Amino acid sequence: MKIAIYGNMYQEDYLNRLSDFLDVLSHSDITVEMESTFYNYLSTLLQKTPHVDGIIAGDDVKADMAISIGGDGTFLRTARWVGMKQIPILGINTGHLGYLADVTVDEMITAVDDLTKGLYKIENRSLIEVTSVRKEAIMDWSYALNEVAILKQDTSSMISVATRINDVDLATYMGDGLIISTPTGSTGYNLSVGGPILEPTAPNWVISPIAAHSLNMRPLVVRDSSELSVTTSSRATNYRVSLDGRSVTLPVGTTIKLRKAPFEVKVVQRMKHSFTDTLRDKLLWGVNSNR
């Protein structure tokens, strides 16, 4: 098995454990390559140079599996690093909540044993592709694994987001913006504005208004085979479109289109892992409070 490792630059609290993890990988029947920036970072802080079989410059990733070391933001960047290559990604959480990167630091060594024995499963997660009305990409990587957010600029003026679904008028959302979330992203920005949680592999999106100026504007679940068309108007001259936190500014009146991407992100899960485990562990569902 060949593994490619990508990580963030905030690992000071876990250096010894990461060193042990890399040692275990090097003594397993696994070929390890590491993204160059992360390799240089660890080389500077560790007492010994990380043992790897190769260093990856840029996004020239060729592996059977990728490992993301960090939080969910790092996992999203790993997904972009892997791109359309359909390489499964295992997330090791050295961040905060870790919905995507759900293997804890304490479980890293056990995870290596599971990988070598094939004791894992793969979930396919859908993405949203965003283009201009002329089918042109709006940024270098115009895909979102979590959500697409249409947001007002830093101004007090609200925005109106006229939304069509499959060329049929849906609604005009007036407020601070609109979120179109994948099932993967339903526990993120969507949840914070009152949107529902979706099972991660459900074939749906959630459309959730942000600070709607009308109480009858509620989150809506639609099929992910739908094509959405969004046109924004405002007293301001520009608005922002954010894809998993990466933003671009567009002129008011610009129409963008959203559809399901032609590829998926493959998420490696432990055999005993389930979506309900995530809800209990991260959102404390089912935990009795003492009064």
Side-chain angles (χ1 to χ4, degrees):
M1 174 183 287
K2 184 177 181 181
I3 286 178
I5 298 179
Y6 185 100
N8 67 28
M9 307 298 119
Y10 305 98
Q11 307 295 340
E12 285 81 359
D13 293 337
Y14 307 104
L15 290 176
N16 290 333
R17 294 188 181 187
L18 287 175
S19 179
D20 293 341
F21 173 67
L22 293 173
D23 284 343
V24 171
L25 283 177
S26 68
H27 290 92
S28 304
D29 189 20
I30 296 175
T31 300
V32 179
E33 295 187 348
M34 187 177 291
E35 189 271 332
S36 59
T37 303
F38 190 53
Y39 176 83
N40 292 334
Y41 164 77
L42 290 181
S43 297
T44 301
L45 295 181
L46 291 175
Q47 295 180 353
K48 58 182 179 180
T49 303
H51 185 281
V52 297
D53 300 291
I55 300 172
I56 303 171
D59 58 1
D60 187 23
V61 188
K62 298 175 183 177
D64 301 304
M65 184 178 296
I67 292 181
S68 167
I69 301 177
D72 283 351
T74 304
F75 192 101
L76 294 172
R77 288 189 291 274
T78 305
R80 182 181 178 186
W81 185 56
V82 167
M84 301 181 186
K85 300 182 180 74
Q86 304 282 282
I87 298 172
I89 305 170
L90 173 70
I92 294 176
N93 183 29
T94 60
H96 297 292
L97 279 176
Y99 286 101
L100 286 165
D102 75 321
V103 175
T104 68
V105 173
D106 293 334
E107 296 168 329
M108 285 193 298
I109 304 302
T110 304
V112 175
D113 188 51
D114 289 344
L115 292 180
T116 57
K117 293 179 179 178
L119 299 177
Y120 60 88
K121 57 186 177 181
I122 295 175
E123 283 188 354
N124 293 323
R125 305 289 185 89
S126 62
L127 300 94
I128 300 173
E129 180 182 15
V130 184
T131 61
S132 70
V133 71
R134 290 189 291 272
K135 303 294 185 181
E136 298 170 344
I138 65 169
M139 60 177 65
D140 289 342
W141 180 254
S142 289
Y143 302 97
L145 178 58
N146 270 355
E147 76 279 314
V148 176
I150 292 91
L151 305 165
K152 68 177 186 177
Q153 284 283 60
D154 297 330
T155 171
S156 59
S157 297
M158 69 177 183
I159 58 175
S160 297
V161 186
T163 306
R164 292 169 60 85
I165 180 168
N166 298 326
D167 291 325
V168 177
D169 289 337
L170 175 61
T172 297
Y173 297 90
M174 302 174 66
D176 287 355
L178 190 68
I179 296 169
I180 299 92
S181 170
T182 67
T184 298
S186 67
T187 51
Y189 199 174
N190 165 74
L191 184 62
S192 73
V193 300
I197 296 173
L198 299 183
E199 194 279 326
T201 58
N204 302 104
W205 293 343
V206 184
I207 304 173
S208 298
I210 305 171
H213 283 225
S214 176
L215 292 178
N216 62 3
M217 290 286 97
R218 299 295 181 180
L220 174 68
V221 178
V222 301
R223 295 189 64 84
D224 65 7
S225 58
S226 307
E227 181 174 282
L228 300 182
S229 176
V230 175
T231 306
T232 300
S233 59
S234 173
R235 291 178 182 174
T237 57
N238 298 304
Y239 71 101
R240 287 190 297 125
V241 181
S242 173
L243 282 68
D244 292 343
R246 297 170 289 108
S247 295
V248 62
T249 299
L250 297 176
V252 163
T254 302
T255 297
I256 60 172
K257 290 186 176 294
L258 295 84
R259 65 174 183 172
K260 184 178 180 180
F263 63 96
E264 295 175 311
V265 169
K266 296 182 179 296
V267 180
V268 178
Q269 301 278 7
R270 293 164 292 170
M271 289 298 290
K272 295 182 180 180
H273 171 89
S274 70
F275 175 55
T276 54
D277 291 334
T278 301
L279 295 180
R280 286 194 297 271
D281 294 342
K282 309 301 181 182
L283 298 180
L284 303 182
W285 281 25
V287 175
N288 295 321
S289 59
N290 295 321
R291 300 191 178 187

